[in-house]
Amino acid sequence: MSSYSELVKNFEKVRTYMRDFYVYGLKSRSEYDKKSARSYDDERRRIESWLGEHMGYTRTTDGKNMFISIDSRICAHNPLYRSLKARSFTDKDITLHFILFDILSSPDISLTLSEILCRMDDYLGCFESPMMFDESTVRKKLGEYIREGIIVGTKQGRTMLYSRSETVDISCDTDAVHFFSETAPCGVVGSFLLDKLPLHSDNIFFKHHYITSALDSDVLASLFDAMHRKCEIAAVNTARHTSGTKTLNLVPLRIFISVQSGRQHLLAYQPHSKNFGSFRLDYLSDVKIGQCCAEFDHLRSQLDHCMQYMWGVNCRNNESRLEHVEFTIRVEDGEEHIVHRLEREKRIGTVEKIDDKHYRFLADVYDTSELIPWIRTFICRITKLDFSDRTTENRLRRDIGEMYKMYGIDGGDTA
C-alpha cells in the first residue's frame, strides 16, 4: 500500500498537514510557519507515500505548491483512508492482540481467563526475555474486545468464558460495502472490510465524491460514541482564518452532512450560553468524552423541533425570530422539470401553483441567508421576491443588478 514504512502515532498531526496542504491547500514550503521546514518535508514525504498517484503541484514565484488531484470517474475508492490505516501500535499491544485471537481462533473455543493466561505462557515461554502480561491487562483487553463485539463473554456460574464472535460472510455484498465505505459517516470501517475480501471488480463510481471527510473519521467516531452514551464532550475548535484555538464544552446532539458539498457539521447544545450551535467537524479536534448529560433526550427533542425551521445548520431557540421567505418563478411550457426540481429541493418549504405558468415557494426559517445560494439558481425565472428580512432581500436584488450590469443587460424590475 505504501512504501513509507514509518507508522503514525499521532494522527491529529497528519490530519493537520493534510488539511493545510492538500485540502485547503496550495501552500508552499515557505508559506507554512507552524512547524519547521524539516518537519514539513518529513510529513510531506509521508503523505505522498499514501497519495502518490493522486498528487499534483503547481510552480509559482513562491515555490512548489502541492495539492490533491483526483478524478472520481477513475478513482472508485477514497485514497485518504490510507492515512487511517497507517496507525501504529506498541509492541505489547500488537503482540497481545494476535496471541489472543490465535488462542481464540474459532467460535467453538471457550476459555476462562486462567486458561488463556496458561496458553499465553506457552506462546511466550520459548523467548529468552519474553514479554510479560499481567492478569489485569489481559482482562481489560478482553473486556475492550467484548465492547467492540469481536469477543463474546458468557457467564458460567461465577466464571467468565471468552470465545470468538461468529464471522459474518460479506463476500457476496461487496457492492453494498463499497457504497457504504464511500458515502456513510465513518465509512473507513467499510474500507477496512473491503481490504479483507478477495479481489473483485468495482461496479460503483461516484459523480460527486466527497473524500475529505475521511480525515474527520476519528472526531466523528468520538462524537457518535458520546451521543450513544448521552454524554457531554470537550473539544478543541480551530479558527479557519486565524491560528487561535478554543476549547468548547458541548452536548453533541446531531450530525448534519451536506449532500451538496459533503461538509459535516455537529449540532450541539452549549451549556455556557444555553443555546444550540453548529460546528464544522474539520475544525474540531481532541474530542474528550465527559460526564453523562441528564437532559440529553430533552435537548435532542428541542433540537428536533427546531429542525422544522432550519434550511441549513443555523438553529435558534426563539421561534419569534422566524423569517419569512417567499418567491415566485415563471415556468414555460415543456419545463415541467423545473417544477419537479422545486418540489424535490424545497426541504422545509412549500410550493404553491398560482396558475399554469407561475409557482410560489414559501418557507419560515431561522436564517434567510442560507437559502440565497439556492434561490440564485432560479435567476431569470424569478418574477417576485418577498422576504421579511429586507436586508437580505435587498442584497440579493443588488447582486442580481450587478450581474445584469456585468453582462450589459437591462434587467428591468424582474424581482
Side-chain angles (χ1 to χ4, degrees):
M1 176 171 58
S2 102
S3 58
Y4 198 86
S5 61
E6 182 183 353
L7 298 178
V8 177
K9 240 178 221 308
N10 182 3
F11 181 72
E12 185 55 39
K13 182 171 70 171
V14 172
R15 180 184 180 223
T16 300
Y17 274 99
M18 293 183 81
R19 287 186 308 180
D20 284 350
F21 284 94
Y22 305 117
V23 179
Y24 304 142
L26 292 179
K27 285 185 179 177
S28 67
R29 186 173 183 263
S30 60
E31 289 177 306
Y32 193 73
D33 56 5
K34 293 182 182 178
K35 295 285 185 180
S36 68
R38 180 173 180 178
S39 295
Y40 162 59
D41 287 337
D42 288 343
E43 297 303 329
R44 178 182 58 79
R45 281 191 291 269
R46 188 203 309 273
I47 294 168
E48 286 180 9
S49 73
W50 302 324
L51 303 176
E53 68 272 30
H54 303 296
M55 298 304 304
Y57 68 89
T58 59
R59 289 195 180 275
T60 68
T61 55
D62 295 322
K64 184 178 179 181
N65 292 330
M66 308 296 297
F67 58 90
I68 296 173
S69 177
I70 296 173
D71 187 342
S72 60
R73 297 170 300 176
I74 300 171
C75 181
H77 299 276
N78 190 337
L80 298 185
Y81 286 147
R82 297 174 190 172
S83 62
L84 289 159
K85 298 173 183 179
R87 289 295 191 86
S88 67
F89 301 88
T90 66
D91 292 343
K92 294 192 74 170
D93 274 339
I94 204 68
T95 301
L96 180 57
H97 174 86
F98 282 109
I99 288 178
L100 287 176
F101 280 92
D102 195 43
I103 291 172
L104 301 173
S105 58
S106 165
D108 299 327
I109 300 173
S110 295
L111 300 173
T112 64
L113 179 60
S114 297
E115 291 170 332
I116 291 173
L117 290 168
C118 287
R119 297 199 183 191
M120 287 178 63
D121 289 339
D122 295 337
Y123 277 84
L124 300 169
C126 59
F127 295 96
E128 292 183 6
S129 300
M131 288 184 181
M132 303 299 294
F133 298 95
D134 58 42
E135 182 177 325
S136 174
T137 299
V138 178
R139 181 186 288 109
K140 288 178 180 177
K141 182 59 70 174
L142 289 167
E144 177 185 330
Y145 289 153
I146 289 174
R147 290 191 296 274
E148 296 292 338
I150 52 180
I151 293 290
V152 177
T154 307
K155 277 279 190 178
Q156 193 174 78
R158 300 180 63 181
T159 304
M160 178 71 81
L161 291 175
Y162 299 94
S163 59
R164 212 39 205 273
S165 297
E166 293 285 347
T167 300
V168 179
D169 182 13
I170 59 171
S171 59
C172 60
D173 298 317
T174 54
D175 286 344
V177 177
H178 181 187
F179 183 77
F180 170 87
S181 71
E182 303 303 323
T183 61
C186 291
V188 65
V189 175
S191 183
F192 274 103
L193 292 174
L194 287 175
D195 291 343
K196 305 297 181 184
L197 297 177
L199 288 176
H200 56 275
S201 59
D202 292 318
N203 299 316
I204 300 175
F205 291 85
F206 299 87
K207 181 178 180 181
H208 302 293
H209 199 184
Y210 305 118
I211 67 169
T212 56
S213 59
L215 300 178
D216 307 321
S217 295
D218 267 8
V219 170
L220 188 58
S222 297
L223 294 174
F224 279 143
D225 190 17
M227 286 188 279
H228 179 71
R229 299 191 205 179
K230 301 182 179 181
C231 289
E232 300 177 5
I233 64 161
V236 175
N237 189 52
T238 304
R240 173 69 185 92
H241 299 291
T242 67
S243 57
T245 61
K246 182 179 181 181
T247 299
L248 304 174
N249 294 301
L250 306 168
V251 180
L253 299 171
R254 296 283 186 196
I255 301 294
F256 275 31
I257 302 176
S258 170
V259 296
Q260 294 172 311
S261 66
R263 184 168 290 161
Q264 301 176 121
H265 284 83
L266 166 68
L267 268 68
Y269 180 73
Q270 305 171 82
H272 68 285
S273 63
K274 301 188 185 306
N275 284 318
F276 296 111
S278 63
F279 306 89
R280 280 178 53 170
L281 257 64
D282 53 339
Y283 293 172
L284 296 178
S285 61
D286 196 24
V287 177
K288 298 288 191 301
I289 298 177
Q291 62 185 4
C292 287
C293 176
E295 295 184 293
F296 184 91
D297 291 331
H298 175 65
L299 292 172
R300 178 174 272 187
S301 177
Q302 280 189 311
L303 177 62
D304 289 348
H305 176 71
C306 292
M307 285 167 55
Q308 64 185 311
Y309 305 111
M310 292 168 54
W311 181 263
V313 295
N314 194 345
C315 50
R316 300 171 185 164
N317 298 330
N318 188 352
E319 288 185 24
S320 65
R321 298 177 62 186
L322 288 177
E323 299 168 355
H324 183 73
V325 176
E326 185 176 319
F327 67 91
T328 302
I329 65 170
R330 179 180 177 85
V331 179
E332 299 295 342
D333 294 337
E335 293 185 333
E336 291 79 10
H337 63 282
I338 299 298
V339 181
H340 296 157
R341 183 187 156 215
L342 202 59
E343 288 284 359
R344 186 176 65 249
E345 299 176 5
K346 66 183 180 181
R347 300 192 193 180
I348 59 173
T350 57
V351 176
E352 297 177 351
K353 182 177 180 179
I354 300 174
D355 55 42
D356 288 342
K357 292 187 179 295
H358 293 87
Y359 291 80
R360 181 189 296 123
F361 170 87
L362 309 96
D364 292 307
V365 297
Y366 288 126
D367 186 355
T368 303
S369 62
E370 289 191 311
L371 284 84
I372 297 302
W374 178 68
I375 293 175
R376 283 196 186 113
T377 64
F378 294 99
I379 284 177
C380 298
R381 298 183 182 277
I382 298 173
T383 60
K384 183 180 179 181
L385 286 174
D386 187 10
F387 297 175
S388 61
D389 179 1
R390 295 302 182 192
T391 301
T392 301
E393 178 182 332
N394 291 333
R395 186 169 64 246
L396 177 58
R397 288 178 181 274
R398 285 195 304 272
D399 289 345
I400 295 173
E402 290 298 321
M403 183 190 69
Y404 280 132
K405 289 179 183 178
M406 184 184 300
Y407 288 98
I409 300 172
D410 179 11
D413 188 21
T414 57

